């Protein structure tokens, strides 16, 4: 798994669950599968007070 896959998982969790808890749970699952050098962004989502909002902000800043 790489950071692109993990970001896609978070976007899907945000769309499907639509809750902070759902996004945080998805982030906790994928962070274990990433190389240590790519975990920073996912830890920011996990530690955020509003992980759902943070994922939508990440989505807005993705390059097409």
């Amino acid at each position: 798994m790489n950071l692109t896959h993990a970001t896609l998982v978070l976007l899907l969790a945000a769309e499907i669950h639509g809750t902070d808890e759902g996004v945080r749970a998805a982030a906790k699952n994928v962070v274990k599968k990433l190389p240590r050098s790519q975990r920073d962004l996912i830890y920011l989502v996990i530690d955020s007070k509003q992980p759902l909002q943070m994922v939508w902000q990440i989505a807005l800043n993705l390059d097409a």
Side-chain angles (χ1 to χ4, degrees), residues 15-35:
E15 183 67 27
I16 293 169
H17 298 291
T19 63
D20 289 334
E21 294 81 19
V23 172
R24 189 173 284 123
K28 286 180 181 180
N29 285 330
V30 298
V31 77
K32 300 171 191 171
K33 297 173 180 139
L34 285 172

Side-chain angles (χ1 to χ4, degrees), residues 1-12 25-39 42:
M1 181 175 277
N2 60 30
L3 190 56
T4 304
H5 296 133
T7 305
L8 180 60
V9 168
L10 294 181
L11 290 171
L12 287 170
K28 286 180 181 180
N29 285 330
V30 298
V31 77
K32 300 171 191 171
K33 297 173 180 139
L34 285 172
R36 290 188 191 275
S37 63
Q38 297 179 349
R39 293 181 181 181
I42 307 303

